[in-house]
Amino acid sequence: MRSYPEGSTKDIDKKEFEASINCIERHLGKVWLEKKLTLNNPIKKLWHSTDVYSSVELYLIGKAISKAEKNNQEDWIEDLVSKIKNAKKINIVGLLYEGLVYLILNGKEQQLAPAGNEGYDVTYSYSNDINMYISCKKLMLSQEHDKLEKTFSSLSSFISNNVSNNTSNSHRYVVSLKNKNIKLSHLKHCLSLVTDKPEGTYNFGSVSVRYSNVIDDTLPYSYDKFRASYQIILNVPHKNEERKRINNLIGSAYRNLKKHSKAEKGKSINAIFISLPDHVSLQLAKGWARNSFKSNYSQLSLIVFTKFLPVNSPDADFLTTQYDVAFNDNCVNPLSGNDVPIKDWKRLLEIEFPLGMHSTKESKVVFTNLNLDVNQSYLFQKGEVNLVSNNILLMELEAKEGIKFIVRDEESQKMLKIVEPLPMQFNVI
């Protein structure tokens, strides 16, 4: 069985962790989980990963399945197991998000909809025969994001191979694009032109490169003189693309919800939960939804936006959940005599997060000493920082998104410490 995550988490009780892992193992089968032939399966990837973030995901997945099991939701579990083993990622993460929403709802009677049910995924019942019908949707990464990620991977490989031959031993590139359709060869050419130049911002039409020969001057170690270090960031504003995708997702969910939710006037509330990727701002998404409510979705009471983010903090159990609620002022609240718009989500939903920190306030995510807001851009970062120490007492190094730190003994060049990159987002939750 998977071992308890080393150095982890104040809120994951060891027995609870083992119970969650046992639950996954019992339903998926140890033999199937241990086979490595199909590691493109997202659950198998988690199972065979040893990092604490994979453990956090497996723990939450196991808790969701366990709650469904205790409440006799076997039909949903069977459907989940079937989809996991068929390895259709979009189906897997969609069902797992349903499970997470079901897990965090507390205080009222909740039911997962049967497998194959259309329109809604969870029902939340009140004592006065009023039901909330909840549609759970996960905004997957876009094709545009995937395309840029491939471009960035090639660009970072080019830099990694290129900087080792240069005179400076530390290089930082912040590449900003105004036009997404710029050829990779042109980007490589721009980076070649600025390497080892004086620090500054260099403009090449639709490409801007901010170059520096210092990655981070606050590190507790010296840079390795014999091994080059690099950091590269690609920043591409997504402008209206994510807004269109969210509006399309809301529209599709609302039409199905309205059609299949068995809504009874004065007796039902329609709601949508949407999981956002890390680069989409909760505040922006809430504003877009509120603007849509002015002319659409007359029978949709509220939308809850959520983000599950990895953090480098054992005290926070390596997980922060951010969430915000967009209310429809044009939709009345059956719980208030059917004549009052819904304003206070706490009167509607009891939410209990089983792990980590949670907040309705969105924090501004800034990359390593740079004022770049991840919430309004497609933003990618990668790097390798080679450091040396002449002290037997190793200082702490905070993990950074996409950056790998390697510390060696200055005299012997023996490797002393490796700090793996902090992931930008979880794999499936």
Side-chain angles (χ1 to χ4, degrees):
M1 190 181 76
R2 186 187 183 90
S3 60
Y4 184 75
E6 184 180 344
S8 79
T9 71
K10 65 173 185 178
D11 285 340
I12 299 184
D13 178 80
K14 189 171 183 178
K15 289 184 178 179
E16 280 194 21
F17 178 81
E18 290 175 351
S20 289
I21 298 303
N22 275 330
C23 184
I24 293 173
E25 201 171 83
R26 186 170 64 255
H27 286 285
L28 289 172
K30 185 175 181 179
V31 173
W32 182 86
L33 286 164
E34 294 295 339
K35 279 186 179 179
K36 296 183 179 181
L37 295 177
T38 54
L39 282 184
N40 60 327
N41 184 291
I43 301 301
K44 281 198 174 186
K45 280 186 178 180
L46 290 180
W47 192 261
H48 289 271
S49 298
T50 58
D51 62 277
V52 68
Y53 302 101
S54 298
S55 296
V56 166
E57 290 193 80
L58 289 169
Y59 172 71
L60 292 174
I61 291 167
K63 278 190 73 70
I65 296 174
S66 180
K67 181 178 178 179
E69 190 176 49
K70 288 175 183 176
N71 292 317
N72 300 314
Q73 303 274 271
E74 293 296 336
D75 188 49
W76 182 86
I77 296 173
E78 289 175 10
D79 190 43
L80 175 65
V81 170
S82 175
K83 285 185 167 66
I84 287 175
K85 291 189 173 183
N86 287 329
K88 295 179 180 179
K89 183 174 182 180
I90 190 167
N91 290 333
I92 294 173
V93 297
L95 267 175
L96 289 176
Y97 184 57
E98 292 175 23
L100 285 175
V101 172
Y102 177 64
L103 178 63
I104 66 176
L105 291 176
N106 195 34
K108 300 287 187 295
E109 183 182 343
Q110 313 112 45
Q111 284 285 116
L112 285 157
N117 187 75
E118 294 186 87
Y120 62 95
D121 306 300
V122 180
T123 57
Y124 190 79
S125 301
Y126 301 88
S127 58
N128 50 2
D129 296 328
I130 293 175
N131 292 315
M132 178 182 287
Y133 297 94
I134 301 172
S135 174
C136 304
K137 299 296 178 184
K138 189 172 181 72
L139 187 69
M140 302 294 288
L141 295 174
S142 66
Q143 291 183 348
E144 191 62 52
H145 180 281
D146 291 344
K147 180 181 176 182
L148 287 167
E149 191 170 39
K150 290 178 182 177
T151 297
F152 177 73
S153 179
S154 298
L155 204 59
S156 58
S157 295
F158 169 76
I159 287 298
S160 176
N161 296 328
N162 192 43
V163 295
S164 60
N165 300 318
N166 289 301
T167 55
S168 299
N169 70 328
S170 177
H171 309 264
R172 183 174 71 189
Y173 308 83
V174 182
V175 184
S176 298
L177 306 185
K178 296 178 182 177
N179 179 0
K180 297 186 297 295
N181 299 317
I182 295 171
K183 290 184 178 179
L184 179 62
S185 58
H186 180 60
L187 291 174
K188 291 179 178 179
H189 179 64
C190 294
L191 295 183
S192 298
L193 291 176
V194 305
T195 301
D196 288 331
K197 296 287 191 205
E199 292 189 12
T201 300
Y202 298 84
N203 294 307
F204 306 94
S206 295
V207 181
S208 172
V209 182
R210 196 190 320 173
Y211 175 74
S212 173
N213 55 23
V214 176
I215 294 175
D216 187 348
D217 57 9
T218 65
L219 297 174
Y221 299 100
S222 302
Y223 285 97
D224 192 328
K225 295 178 181 179
F226 304 104
R227 294 176 177 85
S229 298
Y230 76 94
Q231 175 193 23
I232 179 168
I233 294 173
L234 179 63
N235 174 39
V236 187
H238 49 64
K239 297 183 179 179
N240 291 320
E241 292 169 19
E242 296 302 322
R243 178 175 186 166
K244 290 176 183 177
R245 293 207 311 131
I246 287 175
N247 284 339
N248 288 340
L249 187 64
I250 293 171
S252 174
Y254 173 70
R255 286 189 293 272
N256 284 325
L257 190 57
K258 183 180 175 183
K259 183 177 179 181
H260 298 286
S261 66
K262 307 171 186 176
E264 183 181 349
K265 188 174 182 180
K267 288 290 184 179
S268 63
I269 300 169
N270 288 333
I272 301 173
F273 275 64
I274 297 178
S275 177
L276 299 175
D278 67 285
H279 61 267
V280 179
S281 164
L282 284 170
Q283 293 174 356
L284 285 177
K286 178 180 178 180
W288 297 335
R290 294 272 298 164
N291 191 57
S292 296
F293 286 154
K294 294 176 182 178
S295 55
N296 296 297
Y297 315 132
S298 60
Q299 296 181 36
L300 179 61
S301 297
L302 69 151
I303 301 174
V304 181
F305 294 101
T306 63
K307 290 170 78 170
F308 300 98
L309 302 174
V311 292
N312 179 41
S313 173
D315 289 337
D317 301 307
F318 303 97
L319 166 70
T320 290
T321 304
Q322 297 178 353
Y323 63 102
D324 209 345
V325 186
F327 296 104
N328 187 352
D329 292 339
N330 298 317
C331 189
V332 295
N333 180 1
L335 297 176
S336 300
N338 209 35
D339 59 355
V340 180
I342 295 172
K343 291 288 187 181
D344 184 3
W345 66 269
K346 291 181 181 179
R347 294 182 59 192
L348 289 171
L349 297 168
E350 288 187 42
I351 297 177
E352 182 177 326
F353 296 96
L355 190 67
M357 296 188 301
H358 52 87
S359 176
T360 55
K361 293 184 179 179
E362 185 170 40
S363 59
K364 187 174 183 180
V365 183
V366 179
F367 274 75
T368 317
N369 297 337
L370 296 167
N371 189 24
L372 289 177
D373 187 355
V374 73
N375 293 310
Q376 298 188 52
S377 296
Y378 299 120
L379 213 141
F380 308 90
Q381 176 175 238
K382 191 172 182 179
E384 183 176 294
V385 179
N386 291 288
L387 305 166
V388 292
S389 172
N390 56 12
N391 193 326
I392 193 170
L393 296 174
L394 291 177
M395 306 293 288
E396 283 297 318
L397 272 173
E398 183 181 351
K400 305 289 185 183
E401 297 92 344
I403 304 293
K404 182 178 183 179
F405 292 98
I406 302 172
V407 183
R408 293 178 175 86
D409 180 82
E410 188 169 22
E411 185 174 337
S412 68
Q413 289 294 296
K414 179 182 177 181
M415 193 175 295
L416 301 175
K417 185 174 188 176
I418 295 177
V419 178
E420 295 294 341
L422 175 69
M424 275 296 298
Q425 58 192 23
F426 287 106
N427 288 296
V428 296
I429 68 170

